[in-house]
Amino acid sequence: MAVGAAVRSRVRLRVIGTVQGVGFRPYVYRLATELGLSGSVLNDERGVLIEAEGDPAAVAALVARLGPEAPPLAAIERVEQQALSARRESGFRILASRGAGESDAPVSPDTATCDDCLAELFDPRDRRHRYPFINCTNCGPRFTIVRGVPYDRPLTTMAAFVMCEACRREYDDPLDRRFHAQPNACPHCGPQLSLLDREGGVVARREDALQSAVQALKEGAIVAVKGVGGFHLACLASDEQATAALRARKHREDKPFALMAQDVQTARELIELGEREEEFLLGRERPIVIARRRPGARVADAVAPRSRDLGVMLPYSPLHHLLLADVGEALVMTSGNVSDEPIAYRDGDALARLAGIAEQFLLHDRPIETRTDDSVLRAVKLRGAPLLIRRSRGWVPSAMGLPLEPTHPVLACGAELKSTFCLLKGTRAWVSHHIGDLENYETLRSFTEGIEHFQRLFSVRPELIAHDLHPEYLSTKYALEREDVELIAVQHHHAHLAACLAEHGQRGPAAAAIYDGTGYGPDGTIWGGELLMGGLEGFERAGHLWPVRLPGGSQAVREPWRMACAWLLEAVGPSEPPQTIAAEVPEGAWEDAQRLATTGMASPMTTSMGRLFDAVAALCGLRLRVNYEGQAAAELEAACAPNELEFYPLHVARSPSGVRLDARATVRAVLDDLRAGEAVGRIAARFHNAVASATASALMLAAADRDIDLVVLSGGSFQNRVLLERVSANLRHAGLKVLVPIRLPPNDGGIAYGQAAVACALTAEKPAPRRPGGCGS
């Protein structure tokens, strides 16, 4: 070094996390320039690579400020630092992306339109005024348009759109907020709208297409709208005729429709918004938020029949903002499908499948790579985080961690209902978007295509595949058909327990109440009201709900009156159907169900808590037949009188098989109150209080027996806010630490992650055996 030369230091920083497509490189460029540093920054298959040189204090400041001042959509997992020899170069540059190795760079979720873009959207002086595809590095589509990594325009569905000169200047300017915004476009060079009739004929294009669609909606039409992750079916939320027609054509008899409100003020006119509900509505994920319907809300009866709640979301794309602003009132925005099918996301498929539902189709020519449903949540007391019902757009494909690192790449196939899958490699677990119920070919194809896309996107070649114990699940059959992999079967409720533990960074042991509708038990019976003790590596059954028959098997799931029959048979013996049921059950059917339950013919044993809720809902006359999964239990929860403190007896006793929750006295008490003319709301609340109190008592017993203070609550029954809040409160009051799912749903949408965690734990200490022939596809 020459005498008097300034001391310089140089570092290489490897930034790992969600740092592509979120404005991270221009952020580094601006920060480095401000600090007077030379060097470079680029994207590659692992994330972002920085080399910076200059005064040692300035280099240290870069390292210190890199995380705290990062762009809002960035999520840094870690920064690896390496000292280099100084080169004494000048200037800081953004270099072209590299993509030679195996990809290991997370992809950002789709994000709601930012305030800056919204201001431009509605500014008549801006060149993007009313352009339905405005975006920047802080917002817009990501996951739904990406085809590969690194996240650059040629590897997205925007590859075919050549930027005009003005857009290219923005794209190339490190000081512009659209620097390397891959979906960057304008009315001159980007995607455009078109409005088609149900035969595929063009009605209008560009702005005229939007205005014609708005007019059609105002006149009572149903319009299929292509959004970010697929199609919605839209109509005026206040239009009785349009909403009833939509329900009939979609073959969706009772399940509530989602609504989209123009802004928070409009949402307040529809639902009761607390501070947390408003926060969730305005979050960059823009989920559907389920909240109590406001009295007098201007919503047609057909939107959410027999429900006290409404599901409302705010616009999350520029097209949505324009549509809602121009229509001037809330819209139904329900999934673009016929019931039980995946949502349509390709134009031709939408025209083919939705022509019997929608009169017009508002399309655009930016392809969607991955169909992604709207996410759904509700607020609950006792914690700031939401209760996720469906984790999809806005959250996926954000990676989750695990409390241990796998020895081999893992694919977990999930269950059957609310299907997701999970890929696991290194320190990351990628839980997929919501697929749906794996009960038909279309959904199975969506499932397999999703796995193939994630494997390509994140360069995962599974060597271990985890699956449910149930031999007839399509997800299990898919796993068994994969070649050259090691298979690990994971019991359904163990996966629920493991998922909750793992997302909280725990391995166990814990006591757990896992309540749901159906899960295949190791003994061949149908579990669902389970008290478990264990951790990621294994579990034991510490107790369960009193077992009853399922008269008619799966038919009893569709017809809750059959579960009322089975529970009455256990509680009081053979009997006539109660008045609340008798008029709705075909002659002789009650006696047939009793006969099935008595003989066991076509009537497997179950300990399902979900089926107990079904039974009580039927006894109360609320729901004798269901049109969607969980309907009876949801309506029983909705009926609860809010200030009822009394509870029915629900005995907790030790038995040779562990702690047993005996609900026979509960059912007798429900029957007595019904005969006495008690209000259904009070009966529903007393039943919930009974289950909550008994569950807490049983978990306290199990935890005390093993001298632990950690408990888990999970399974689809804990989507019930009343049950979740009351069990949690009782346990916390007793001094126990309560874990509930936060980043994943408590329902089967979290099963795949739990399966992956179990597979990881079971193979952590030893190499997984391999069949000859290499890796799976």
Side-chain angles (χ1 to χ4, degrees):
M1 180 184 297
V3 177
V7 175
R8 293 171 68 87
S9 66
R10 185 179 183 90
V11 294
R12 175 178 292 148
L13 303 174
R14 159 67 64 193
V15 187
I16 296 172
T18 304
V19 288
Q20 294 188 12
V22 295
F24 199 83
R25 287 177 299 166
Y27 156 68
V28 173
Y29 174 89
R30 291 190 292 269
L31 183 56
T33 302
E34 174 193 329
L35 294 170
L37 298 173
S38 62
S40 63
V41 59
L42 59 84
N43 279 348
D44 65 9
E45 66 279 354
R46 293 185 59 202
V48 167
L49 188 64
I50 304 167
E51 289 196 11
E53 179 177 328
D55 181 84
V59 172
L62 173 71
V63 175
R65 294 170 60 181
L66 201 57
E69 299 177 22
L73 301 186
I76 297 176
E77 295 174 8
R78 67 183 187 276
V79 179
E80 299 171 355
Q81 183 172 338
Q82 177 186 359
L84 302 174
S85 300
R87 297 180 184 172
R88 299 194 169 273
E89 61 188 3
S90 61
F92 197 90
R93 298 172 295 157
I94 297 177
L95 302 181
S97 299
R98 299 176 188 165
E102 186 177 89
S103 65
D104 190 33
V107 175
S108 172
D110 305 292
T111 304
T113 311
C114 70
D115 291 342
D116 289 334
C117 284
L118 275 181
E120 294 172 347
L121 182 68
F122 290 105
D123 182 356
R125 299 163 299 177
D126 195 273
R127 73 186 189 92
R128 291 187 175 87
H129 177 231
R130 292 186 62 82
Y131 180 55
F133 307 98
I134 190 171
N135 67 88
C136 69
T137 53
N138 296 322
C139 69
R142 296 291 190 277
F143 172 61
T144 52
I145 65 169
V146 69
R147 288 173 168 158
V149 292
Y151 175 71
D152 284 322
R153 196 176 182 106
L155 293 177
T156 73
T157 61
M158 286 294 295
F161 296 93
V162 179
M163 282 181 279
C164 66
E165 186 177 336
C167 287
R168 173 56 69 176
R169 279 197 303 270
E170 295 168 333
Y171 185 87
D172 289 337
D173 182 358
L175 300 180
D176 194 288
R177 82 173 197 278
R178 292 191 170 92
F179 175 75
H180 281 218
Q182 306 307 335
N184 188 35
C186 74
H188 300 294
C189 64
Q192 299 295 340
L193 293 175
S194 58
L195 185 69
L196 277 60
D197 60 28
R198 57 178 24 145
E199 285 78 36
V202 177
V203 176
R205 298 188 187 277
R206 298 187 174 233
E207 177 67 17
D208 289 343
L210 179 59
Q211 291 305 316
S212 296
V214 168
Q215 188 60 35
L217 287 165
K218 288 182 175 180
E219 292 174 357
I222 298 169
V223 179
V225 180
K226 184 179 180 182
V228 173
F231 279 78
H232 286 111
L233 291 165
C235 68
L236 294 181
S238 61
D239 191 321
E240 293 285 358
Q241 187 173 347
T243 53
L246 176 56
R247 190 166 288 286
R249 295 176 194 174
K250 191 174 160 67
H251 305 300
R252 184 165 170 164
E253 296 182 39
D254 297 303
K255 195 172 185 180
F257 290 143
L259 304 180
M260 184 175 281
Q262 180 179 353
D263 49 34
V264 171
Q265 182 55 45
T266 307
R268 286 196 191 101
E269 296 169 3
L270 301 173
I271 53 177
E272 296 177 0
L273 281 183
E275 183 178 339
R276 279 179 294 176
E277 285 91 350
E278 185 170 324
E279 177 188 341
F280 299 148
L281 267 179
L282 289 168
R284 66 192 187 198
E285 300 87 359
R286 288 295 195 278
I288 297 167
V289 176
I290 299 174
R292 186 55 53 92
R293 180 200 303 245
R294 187 172 288 281
R298 193 163 172 261
V299 174
D301 292 341
V303 167
R306 302 184 69 173
S307 175
R308 292 185 180 181
D309 294 338
L310 292 173
V312 178
M313 60 182 156
L314 298 182
Y316 54 85
S317 77
L319 176 57
H320 293 146
H321 281 282
L322 292 170
L323 202 58
L324 270 293
D326 291 356
V327 170
E329 61 176 287
L331 293 175
V332 167
M333 278 284 191
T334 189
S335 53
N337 60 356
V338 179
S339 285
D340 301 326
E341 292 181 357
I343 60 169
Y345 73 111
R346 294 190 172 120
D347 297 355
D349 181 47
L351 284 163
R353 288 203 282 139
L354 305 180
I357 303 175
E359 285 94 2
Q360 294 187 337
F361 291 75
L362 185 58
L363 309 180
H364 58 76
D365 53 354
R366 183 182 68 204
I368 297 170
E369 181 66 17
T370 305
R371 65 160 60 92
T372 311
D373 293 78
D374 296 315
S375 295
V376 183
L377 59 80
R378 66 194 308 187
V380 290
K381 297 176 182 177
L382 307 176
R383 59 177 184 165
L387 173 62
L388 276 171
I389 307 299
R390 183 167 72 202
R391 177 185 180 271
S392 202
R393 179 192 49 76
W395 273 273
V396 175
S398 296
M400 298 182 61
L402 281 172
L404 67 172
E405 190 167 334
T407 56
H408 300 272
V410 175
L411 165 64
C413 296
E416 182 174 65
L417 301 180
K418 299 177 174 62
S419 170
T420 63
F421 58 84
C422 178
L423 284 168
L424 180 61
K425 183 179 76 170
T427 59
R428 298 193 186 104
W430 290 279
V431 181
S432 77
H433 49 297
H434 169 80
I435 304 293
D437 296 345
L438 284 182
E439 296 178 326
N440 54 55
Y441 170 75
E442 291 81 6
T443 312
L444 177 63
R445 186 174 65 178
S446 179
F447 174 77
T448 57
E449 289 174 351
I451 290 173
E452 291 166 3
H453 181 53
F454 269 60
Q455 287 181 175
R456 289 192 307 270
L457 200 59
F458 303 117
S459 294
V460 181
R461 299 171 64 191
E463 299 176 16
L464 297 169
I465 294 188
H467 61 86
D468 195 272
L469 281 181
H470 200 302
E472 293 304 313
Y473 281 177
L474 292 181
S475 58
T476 301
K477 292 181 177 181
Y478 169 84
L480 297 176
E481 290 171 0
R482 290 282 296 247
E483 297 179 350
D484 304 323
V485 293
E486 183 69 20
L487 299 173
I488 296 179
V490 182
Q491 199 278 327
H492 189 89
H493 300 93
H494 182 206
H496 274 303
L497 165 61
C500 187
L501 284 172
E503 77 153 286
H504 288 278
Q506 301 281 338
R507 297 182 65 167
I514 310 296
Y515 292 169
D516 60 8
T518 300
Y520 192 78
D523 58 359
T525 64
I526 300 172
W527 290 13
E530 306 310 310
L531 302 174
L532 305 184
M533 183 64 61
L536 302 188
E537 291 85 357
F539 77 99
E540 61 179 283
R541 195 182 195 189
H544 54 80
L545 183 64
W546 184 273
V548 299
R549 294 283 179 181
L550 272 172
S554 61
Q555 196 170 356
V557 179
R558 297 187 295 270
E559 298 181 340
W561 69 262
R562 292 175 175 270
M563 291 312 305
C565 177
W567 269 103
L568 283 179
L569 192 62
E570 289 290 326
V572 300
S575 63
E576 295 295 316
Q579 291 184 354
T580 50
I581 293 177
E584 300 296 327
V585 175
E587 185 176 353
W590 184 267
E591 291 75 14
D592 289 344
Q594 284 191 137
R595 192 177 307 111
L596 289 175
T598 301
T599 62
M601 182 181 297
S603 302
M605 296 297 295
T606 183
T607 55
S608 169
M609 183 62 74
R611 300 289 82 82
L612 174 60
F613 273 74
D614 286 356
V616 174
L619 288 172
C620 291
L622 292 172
R623 178 58 58 179
L624 273 64
R625 296 169 182 83
V626 299
N627 294 306
Y628 61 90
E629 192 258 341
Q631 182 179 10
E635 293 180 0
L636 185 66
E637 177 194 359
C640 286
N643 299 314
E644 178 62 49
L645 299 178
E646 292 186 28
F647 54 90
Y648 296 129
L650 202 164
H651 300 305
V652 178
R654 298 182 187 275
S655 73
S657 60
V659 177
R660 179 169 285 182
L661 300 173
D662 186 348
R664 291 176 297 175
T666 319
V667 171
R668 288 193 292 269
V670 168
L671 194 61
D672 288 344
D673 268 358
L674 285 168
R675 288 168 174 165
E678 186 62 86
V680 166
R682 299 189 71 180
I683 294 172
R686 290 170 181 173
F687 170 73
H688 277 75
N689 292 342
V691 175
S693 176
T695 299
S697 297
L699 285 172
M700 290 175 205
L701 278 176
D705 285 347
R706 293 154 179 84
D707 194 26
I708 61 172
D709 63 357
L710 185 66
V711 294
V712 165
L713 305 177
S714 193
S717 295
F718 283 107
Q719 291 175 147
N720 182 316
R721 181 168 53 191
V722 174
L723 181 65
L724 177 64
E725 290 176 350
R726 293 179 186 179
V727 177
S728 297
N730 289 343
L731 292 169
R732 289 191 172 105
H733 183 73
L736 296 173
K737 181 180 179 182
V738 182
L739 300 182
V740 297
I742 292 176
R743 297 182 62 195
L744 291 170
N747 59 44
D748 285 3
I751 283 281
Y753 176 71
Q755 292 171 343
V758 171
C760 185
L762 292 177
T763 58
E765 303 302 327
K766 60 182 185 302
R770 296 292 311 284
R771 302 172 188 167
C775 297
S777 59

